[in-house]
């Protein structure tokens, strides 16, 4: 592949990652609106939205790999964008709570297909020698989109307010005002999602993608390999580690704005949404900072430090005053940013074979995005939201525990600070 074509394809892949993140991480700012507009009687009903999305995600992750082998990457890419397009337009046209649950499930199925095909595709396009760099760049773009989407929500909600919106001043807002119910201005986001997905569908239709040959660590593996792994205690321990991480990430981002509104009277449409934006932004910065730290500190020790810091920040956010909570909640994004990659790498470095099957099991643990928020909402309805969010402390505690008991066969290579900055030659 020529360099200019390779660069163009990589830009396209980054556009795909931006679209995925822009859509999937918007639920947190929407929860207060969903509860109010659809008159949900408790947080559990709101938690079902996240459950329907991540349940679909978990169901589709392994089958998507089989579809790539059988039908090729282009069809999977197209279908992966088509399903969220159907889900978003359906809800935008018929906004109601039952339709939102169905829409979230359909969107989740499509997003699982997209992530499954994009990871090996960026390896093929960027080259194996650049895979780590390209993967980190994708993570950065993913974080940037998560940072931007709550800000777009805040802008749209404000711009469409009855006292602010003036017909004829902005063509985009005029269109949104026509297709969006007056009492549900946040539904306008789903029309933006639909347009963005439609653009991606056109691009996928006309672009020729390189053939993907899945490597061993990207294949699902045989049934015998799964049976062998399922009999190993460490498999379930690491599965629970990934489950707890996704539960932590989604539990904080989804309920943060609602917590700030209930306990501190903070407007979820403005400051609440901005806090969620800062959460994803600080996570993006943390990912880049983590590359530096992993060269200096053993990953197990770094996981221990991240876990203790995260638990401290969570307790500070839950029991501190408003001005403290407004910086402590977003700061959690920074402290947990390295957890997923460290737990995943510790798990795979614990085995000498069946990496593909083990990776598939670990990816299925993303169902934590369904289970974690649902458990938090159930406990919150039985007690209080503050008590419910203390469950995140348990998730963080388990991830910290992984940093103590994990025994990988290979540890991450570390150097001194002088060696890292080039002041001392490496041996």
């Amino acid at each position: 592949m020529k360099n200019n074509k390779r660069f163009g394809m990589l830009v396209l892949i980054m556009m795909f990652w931006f679209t995925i993140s822009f859509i999937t991480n918007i639920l947190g700012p929407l929860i207060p609106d969903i509860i109010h507009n659809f008159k949900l009687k408790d947080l559990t009903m709101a938690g079902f939205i996240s459950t329907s999305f991540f349940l679909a995600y978990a169901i589709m992750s392994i089958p998507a790999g089989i579809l790539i082998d059988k039908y090729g990457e282009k069809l999977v890419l197209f279908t992966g964008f088509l399903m969220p397009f159907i889900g978003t337009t359906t809800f935008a046209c018929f906004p109601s709570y039952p339709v939102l649950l169905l829409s979230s499930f359909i969107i989740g199925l499509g997003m699982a297909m997209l992530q499954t095909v994009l990871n090996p595709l960026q390896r093929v396009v960027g080259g194996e020698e650049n895979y780590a760099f390209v993967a980190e760049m994708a993570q950065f773009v993913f974080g940037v989109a998560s940072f931007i989407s709550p800000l777009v929500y805040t802008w749209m909600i404000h711009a469409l307010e009855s006292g602010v919106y003036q017909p004829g001043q902005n063509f985009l807002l005029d269109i949104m005002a026509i297709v969006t119910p007056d009492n549900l201005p946040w539904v306008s986001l789903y029309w933006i999602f639909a347009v963005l997905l439609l653009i991606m569908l056109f691009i996928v239709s006309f672009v020729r993608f390189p053939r993907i040959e899945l490597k061993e660590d990207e294949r699902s593996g045989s049934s015998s390999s799964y049976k062998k792994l399922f009999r190993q205690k460490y498999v379930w321990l690491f599965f629970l580690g990934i489950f707890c991480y996704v539960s932590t990430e989604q539990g904080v981002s989804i309920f943060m704005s609602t917590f700030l509104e209930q306990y501190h009277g903070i407007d979820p449409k403005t400051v609440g949404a901005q806090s969620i934006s800062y959460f994803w932004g600080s996570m993006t910065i943390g990912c880049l900072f983590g590359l530096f730290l992993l060269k200096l500190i053993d990953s197990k020790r770094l996981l221990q430090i991240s876990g203790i810091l995260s638990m401290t920040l969570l307790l500070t956010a839950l029991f501190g005053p408003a001005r403290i909570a407004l910086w402590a909640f977003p700061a959690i994004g920074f402290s947990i940013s390295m957890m997923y990659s460290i737990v995943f790498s510790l798990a795979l470095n614990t085995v000498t074979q069946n990496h593909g099957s083990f990776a598939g099991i670990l990816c299925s643990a993303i169902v934590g995005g369904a289970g974690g928020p649902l458990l938090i909402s159930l406990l919150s309805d039985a007690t209080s939201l503050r008590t419910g969010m203390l469950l995140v402390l348990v998730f963080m505690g388990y991830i910290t525990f992984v940093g103590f008991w994990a025994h990988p066969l290979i540890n991450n290579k570390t150097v001194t600070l002088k060696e890292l900055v080039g002041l001392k030659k490496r041996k």
Side-chain angles (χ1 to χ4, degrees):
M1 184 181 294
K2 295 181 179 179
N3 287 335
N4 57 346
K5 186 176 181 181
R6 186 190 303 272
F7 177 78
M9 191 65 69
L10 286 173
V11 170
L12 188 59
I13 290 173
M14 296 306 144
M15 289 173 57
F16 292 161
W17 281 119
F18 183 94
T19 302
I20 292 171
S21 179
F22 189 79
I23 295 172
T24 57
N25 291 322
I26 193 61
L27 185 58
L30 297 183
I31 287 295
D33 285 318
I34 292 171
I35 293 174
H36 174 72
N37 291 137
F38 293 147
K39 296 179 173 58
L40 304 185
K41 62 180 182 180
D42 50 38
L43 279 173
T44 301
M45 295 185 70
F48 281 139
I49 302 167
S50 175
T51 299
S52 62
F53 177 84
F54 282 99
L55 185 61
Y57 220 100
I59 290 172
M60 198 64 191
S61 292
I62 293 178
I66 300 173
L67 291 173
I68 296 172
D69 268 344
K70 189 171 183 179
Y71 298 107
E73 60 289 326
K74 183 162 185 171
L75 182 60
V76 176
L77 268 175
F78 186 86
T79 307
F81 280 118
L82 179 62
M83 296 184 78
F85 175 75
I86 293 173
T88 54
T89 51
T90 300
F91 176 71
C93 292
F94 308 101
S96 66
Y97 176 71
V99 176
L100 181 58
L101 291 178
L102 177 62
S103 170
S104 297
F105 184 79
I106 296 173
I107 293 172
L109 291 174
M111 293 304 177
M113 296 177 72
L114 290 173
Q115 292 219 31
T116 303
V117 71
L118 285 179
N119 281 301
L121 181 62
Q122 67 190 18
R123 172 183 58 79
V124 173
V125 173
E128 292 191 14
E129 69 278 8
N130 300 313
Y131 184 48
F133 176 81
V134 174
E136 188 61 28
M137 180 58 68
Q139 185 66 30
F140 176 76
V141 172
F142 196 89
V144 169
S146 298
F147 172 77
I148 292 175
S149 58
L151 300 181
V152 174
Y153 157 81
T154 299
W155 177 76
M156 288 296 300
I157 292 295
H158 176 72
L160 290 175
E161 284 182 356
S162 56
V164 177
Y165 169 67
Q166 295 181 355
Q169 299 295 317
N170 186 300
F171 177 75
L172 172 63
L173 292 178
D174 289 341
I175 297 297
M176 290 298 170
I178 294 173
V179 299
T180 305
D182 293 338
N183 62 329
L184 301 172
W186 55 273
V187 174
S188 60
L189 277 174
Y190 279 78
W191 286 113
I192 294 176
F193 296 159
V195 172
L196 188 57
L197 289 164
L198 186 60
I199 294 172
M200 296 301 110
L201 284 170
F202 275 113
I203 292 175
V204 173
S205 299
F206 294 106
V207 173
R208 184 176 180 179
F209 296 92
R211 176 66 182 173
I212 294 176
E213 295 293 339
L214 294 179
K215 297 172 64 178
E216 173 61 25
D217 60 353
E218 295 166 335
R219 293 183 182 276
S220 298
S222 62
S223 58
S224 61
S225 65
Y226 280 108
K227 290 178 181 178
K228 182 178 180 180
L229 286 169
F230 284 143
R231 290 194 293 265
Q232 305 298 322
K233 181 176 69 172
Y234 65 82
V235 171
W236 294 104
L237 291 174
F238 279 116
F239 177 93
L240 186 56
I242 297 296
F243 181 98
C244 286
Y245 168 77
V246 183
S247 296
T248 296
E249 176 192 280
Q250 294 300 313
V252 174
S253 65
I254 288 175
F255 295 108
M256 181 196 311
S257 181
T258 304
F259 180 91
L260 292 172
E261 179 188 25
Q262 285 190 13
Y263 289 91
H264 301 297
I266 291 172
D267 185 3
K269 295 181 175 64
T270 54
V271 179
Q274 289 171 4
S275 296
I276 296 174
S277 174
Y278 297 152
F279 170 85
W280 293 110
S282 64
M283 182 178 288
T284 303
I285 296 172
C287 288
L288 298 178
F289 194 59
L291 291 176
F292 176 78
L293 290 178
L294 283 169
K295 289 293 184 180
L296 300 172
I297 306 173
D298 179 74
S299 61
K300 289 176 58 178
R301 180 59 58 84
L302 194 56
L303 188 61
Q304 296 166 15
I305 296 171
S306 298
I308 294 171
L309 177 60
S310 299
M311 289 187 285
T312 302
L313 287 171
L314 179 65
L315 290 173
T316 302
L318 292 179
F319 294 97
R323 60 185 179 82
I324 299 297
L326 283 173
W327 70 259
F329 270 128
I332 294 173
F334 181 88
S335 65
I336 69 173
S337 61
M338 295 165 278
M339 287 181 172
Y340 179 85
S341 59
I342 292 177
V343 173
F344 208 98
S345 62
L346 286 174
L348 294 184
N349 284 338
T350 302
V351 299
T352 58
Q353 57 184 348
N354 298 322
H355 290 93
S357 299
F358 196 11
I361 293 171
L362 293 174
C363 288
S364 297
I366 200 171
V367 73
L374 183 59
L375 291 173
I376 293 170
S377 59
L378 286 170
L379 182 58
S380 298
D381 289 333
T383 55
S384 66
L385 180 55
R386 176 176 279 138
T387 302
M389 291 193 72
L390 281 175
L391 192 58
V392 178
L393 197 68
V394 178
F395 300 146
M396 291 176 172
Y398 183 81
I399 298 170
T400 308
F401 173 63
V402 172
F404 286 97
W405 64 254
H407 296 288
L409 300 174
I410 303 173
N411 292 314
N412 63 301
K413 184 178 180 180
T414 59
V415 297
T416 65
L417 182 60
K418 289 184 178 181
E419 288 175 329
L420 185 61
V421 297
L423 297 178
K424 180 180 178 181
K425 293 183 178 180
R426 300 179 189 177
K427 296 181 180 179

